Amino acid sequence: MTGTISKISGPVIEAEGMKTSRMYNLVRVGKEGLLGEIIQLKGETAVIQVYEETSGIAPGEQVTDTQAPLSMTLGPGLIGNIY
């Protein structure tokens, strides 16, 4: 699923055409494939929190939904500890 950036406000962007996307899905933003997460859905518009510097992206660039939630693998030394 792909959409198009319609608005940028610092690390938060809006992308149109994301009607099959779901909350908290991982997305790749722009030509550089910046990492982001869908934090709100308004019809076919997704509000996305980008976790990298957004200074190189512009409205009209593509947003790709990976259809998977943000996740990471923890090593055995991290499991069961509080940080």
Side-chain angles (χ1 to χ4, degrees):
M1 161 55 43
T2 60
T4 305
I5 298 173
S6 59
K7 182 178 175 183
I8 303 170
S9 180
V12 178
I13 67 166
E14 288 188 10
E16 296 177 351
M18 306 286 288
K19 67 180 180 180
T20 61
S21 295
R22 302 179 90 169
M23 289 288 293
Y24 310 115
N25 274 5
L26 178 69
V27 295
R28 293 294 182 167
V29 178
K31 297 175 281 208
E32 295 144 12
L34 303 178
L35 183 67
E37 182 179 20
I38 297 174
I39 58 172
Q40 183 179 16
L41 289 169
K42 299 185 263 183
E44 292 188 20
T45 302
V47 178
I48 299 165
Q49 170 73 48
V50 180
Y51 296 120
E52 299 182 63
E53 178 63 41
T54 59
S55 62
I57 60 174
E61 289 191 47
Q62 187 173 18
V63 175
T64 305
D65 186 349
T66 65
Q67 301 290 318
L70 181 62
S71 64
M72 69 174 53
T73 304
L74 299 177
L78 296 174
I79 297 173
N81 292 318
I82 297 173
Y83 292 92

